[in-house]
Amino acid sequence: MARTMWDSSVGKKTVMAVSGLIMLAYLVVHMIGNLKIYFGAGEFNHYAHWLRTIGEPFMHYEWTLWLIRIVLVVAVAAHATSAYQLSRRDIKARPSAYVHAKPRASYATRTMRWGGIILGLFVVWHVLDLTTGTVHPGRFEHGHPYQNVVGDFSHWYSNVIYIVAMLALGLHVRHGFWSAAQTLGVGSRTRDRALKTLANVLALLLTAGFIAVPVGVMTGVVS
Amino acid sequence: MKLTLRVWRQRNADAPGAMSTYDVDGISSDMSFLEMLDVLNEQLILSGEDPVAFDHDCREGICGACSLVINGDAHGPERTTTCQLHMRSFRDGDTIDIEPWRAAAFPVIKDLVVDRSAFDRIIQAGGYVTAPTGSAPEAHATPVPKADADFAFEHAECIGCGACVAACPNGAAMLFTSAKVNHLNVLPQGAPERETRVLDMVAQMDAEGFGGCTLTGECATACPKGIPLVSITGMNKEWLRAARRVAKR
């Protein structure tokens, strides 16, 4: 079964769809959690600490968090590998372009590959910035995410990187969510409008929800 | 009508090709696109040049032989086959670009003619039913619900012209393959090979070097027979079902 999946272009798209949906579900939770920053340092930092204690006493400190991280890393790796292999195949299948070429597909559809690369690079920067603090522009302190976020978004380039990436995320989700439904065979003529609307709503909510954090810092609502 | 044509000319599969410009005059707006090309070819033959090679057969829009990407659109600006496209869709003085289907799996044989035998091999891999042949069976012997019959017929309309592949930015044959899979998989006559059909046809499609689906929807827009994009969704569903079933055996 696993072999059949990975060797077929249709099966590999399934891997992309499932890994994409796992990441999407995580992002919804992540975005809602981020909004707690509007309730002050106490609540936000307490929430961040709670994330490390989920499942206690059955789970040890940070076990659940690491479990989530492992699932996410596997999802990112599966998504990127299948995207790379499928893209190689697609580009090879159309070696010569039309002389009379015209752009057709929607912007979101055409930017899936570059958007995906931008998001991949963003994830690396984001982890180094706010998880490890390696590239954090200010003074990074473990256990004080509220202060770290405010310090981060007090620098213009952090805002630019973050907002560009979140716009790319919106476009990626807009085409990706609907596509995943088609790949998994749950789309249909009657469900098409609902799926497209849901994809747009998800894309808008995620982008707006994530961008609300740097905007909050920039406008001084969060300080 | 007086037109300027820019046509892809390529001596053979290995020769490099290029666009050549020709002027044609005296085109009636009632002519079909292929009749317009016939006029061009008569002109070329009289002047001792090699006529433009293009595929055509029934010229009634039902055989799937004609092709041509016209001004960047597979089968041109109308939703029909090139043979059923008429010159009234163009204006006097227009410049028209005519190119062959472009896909790695459809190599150019000459000028505008491409080798579409990859489609035949996809059909050979599973686009049939293993029912005994002979005289036509009694029509009521195998009841088919009306909805299923309509669904099967909608997909059976595919004429295998390859416009979907030509329009797809990935040179994918998903719409063609899904049309046949959906057509036969919904019918009781196609049930014995329901799993092997979709698995084998998709495997052959991959082996022929067609790309994958990124759901741009170009194929369904180009399809002269109106095979819907959701047909691909249906094939994905069948493929996943078959992969699970075969794994259990």
Side-chain angles (χ1 to χ4, degrees):
Chain A
M1 175 91 185
R3 200 68 252 181
T4 323
M5 274 285 172
W6 193 249
D7 286 345
S8 164
S9 63
V10 172
K12 211 167 274 180
K13 277 284 283 190
T14 313
V15 175
M16 278 200 82
V18 171
S19 54
L21 289 175
I22 291 171
M23 291 188 278
L24 183 62
Y26 170 78
L27 284 178
V28 172
V29 176
H30 186 10
M31 187 271 288
I32 294 169
N34 281 6
L35 294 178
K36 294 202 168 58
I37 202 156
Y38 277 96
F39 299 104
E43 183 161 346
F44 190 70
N45 287 351
H46 174 71
Y47 162 70
H49 177 74
W50 170 79
L51 287 177
R52 286 153 209 282
T53 63
I54 302 170
E56 281 185 7
F58 178 70
M59 299 296 265
H60 184 67
Y61 181 73
E62 284 197 347
W63 273 15
T64 313
L65 190 63
W66 274 105
L67 207 66
I68 295 169
R69 284 171 176 168
I70 290 165
V71 170
L72 283 175
V73 167
V74 171
V76 169
H79 202 71
T81 311
S82 42
Y84 173 76
Q85 294 185 358
L86 286 167
S87 296
R88 281 280 305 266
R89 168 180 199 92
D90 294 348
I91 293 164
K92 238 176 84 185
R94 173 57 87 68
S96 36
Y98 288 107
V99 174
H100 191 119
K102 31 177 147 178
R104 293 156 174 289
S106 76
Y107 190 74
T109 312
R110 279 186 284 133
T111 52
M112 285 306 273
R113 283 176 197 150
W114 278 109
I117 291 167
I118 289 172
L119 288 172
L121 293 172
F122 169 77
V123 167
V124 173
W125 177 81
H126 190 55
V127 168
L128 292 176
D129 183 29
L130 286 167
T131 307
T132 66
T134 320
V135 299
H136 192 275
R139 218 156 42 93
F140 183 86
E141 273 185 80
H142 281 283
H144 295 88
Y146 185 91
Q147 289 74 8
N148 292 336
V149 167
V150 172
D152 193 33
F153 290 129
S154 304
H155 292 79
W156 67 269
Y157 59 84
S158 295
N159 290 310
V160 171
I161 295 173
Y162 196 88
I163 291 171
V164 166
M166 288 312 105
L167 293 173
L169 173 71
L171 288 173
H172 206 76
V173 167
R174 182 187 149 100
H175 183 68
F177 178 78
W178 176 79
S179 290
Q182 310 309 316
T183 302
L184 297 175
V186 295
S188 73
R189 248 179 275 237
T190 43
R191 247 178 263 152
D192 200 55
R193 186 170 288 225
L195 282 169
K196 277 197 168 131
T197 311
L198 187 57
N200 287 341
V201 167
L202 272 172
L204 267 174
L205 279 183
L206 282 175
T207 307
F210 279 122
I211 287 180
V213 176
V215 167
V217 176
M218 277 191 281
T219 54
V221 177
V222 175
S223 60
Chain B
M1 288 171 86
K2 199 176 163 175
L3 299 164
T4 305
L5 305 176
R6 299 205 303 156
V7 186
W8 181 263
R9 301 303 308 262
Q10 184 173 337
R11 193 172 290 279
N12 57 52
D14 304 317
M19 299 294 270
S20 296
T21 308
Y22 304 100
D23 289 320
V24 283
D25 204 350
I27 301 297
S28 151
S29 61
D30 293 331
M31 281 181 180
S32 76
F33 200 84
L34 296 184
E35 283 167 338
M36 184 276 293
L37 285 179
D38 293 337
V39 172
L40 169 69
N41 276 347
E42 281 170 13
Q43 197 176 302
L44 290 175
I45 291 165
L46 284 175
S47 61
E49 284 181 68
D50 194 22
V52 177
F54 61 88
D55 268 325
H56 64 103
D57 191 15
C58 74
R59 298 203 177 197
E60 287 180 344
I62 54 169
C63 78
C66 61
S67 54
L68 310 186
V69 169
I70 301 159
N71 284 341
D73 291 316
H75 289 302
E78 308 286 338
R79 189 174 192 150
T80 183
T81 54
T82 296
C83 63
Q84 290 299 302
L85 173 68
H86 290 83
M87 296 315 293
R88 51 181 163 269
S89 299
F90 300 89
R91 273 181 306 196
D92 188 34
D94 273 1
T95 299
I96 306 173
D97 290 335
I98 310 169
E99 297 173 73
W101 284 173
R102 291 280 183 213
F106 284 169
V108 173
I109 296 171
K110 187 176 195 261
D111 296 337
L112 302 170
V113 179
V114 297
D115 180 0
R116 283 174 281 188
S117 53
F119 267 13
D120 299 339
R121 291 187 291 273
I122 293 176
I123 293 295
Q124 280 164 16
Y128 52 80
V129 294
T130 48
T133 54
S135 57
E138 205 278 315
H140 292 297
T142 315
V144 179
K146 176 79 166 93
D148 290 354
D150 287 347
F151 180 85
F153 190 78
E154 186 184 9
H155 290 93
E157 277 192 77
C158 171
I159 51 176
C161 63
C164 45
V165 177
C168 176
N170 311 323
M174 290 286 279
L175 196 70
F176 166 77
T177 311
S178 69
K180 195 46 66 193
V181 166
N182 285 326
H183 163 207
L184 298 177
N185 274 22
V186 73
L187 293 172
Q189 289 87 344
E193 303 90 15
R194 187 171 167 187
E195 288 86 22
T196 51
R197 174 177 302 114
V198 61
L199 293 176
D200 292 348
M201 286 181 80
V202 167
Q204 188 63 36
M205 183 187 85
D206 284 346
E208 295 292 343
F210 290 105
C213 182
T214 51
L215 290 144
T216 65
E218 300 298 343
C219 53
T221 308
C223 179
K225 295 295 157 184
I227 307 291
L229 184 61
V230 74
S231 177
I232 291 177
T233 313
M235 179 168 78
N236 289 336
K237 193 176 175 181
E238 284 294 314
W239 192 92
L240 288 170
R241 178 186 172 278
R244 276 197 308 271
R245 293 234 164 177
V246 169
K248 267 189 225 156
R249 274 178 203 161

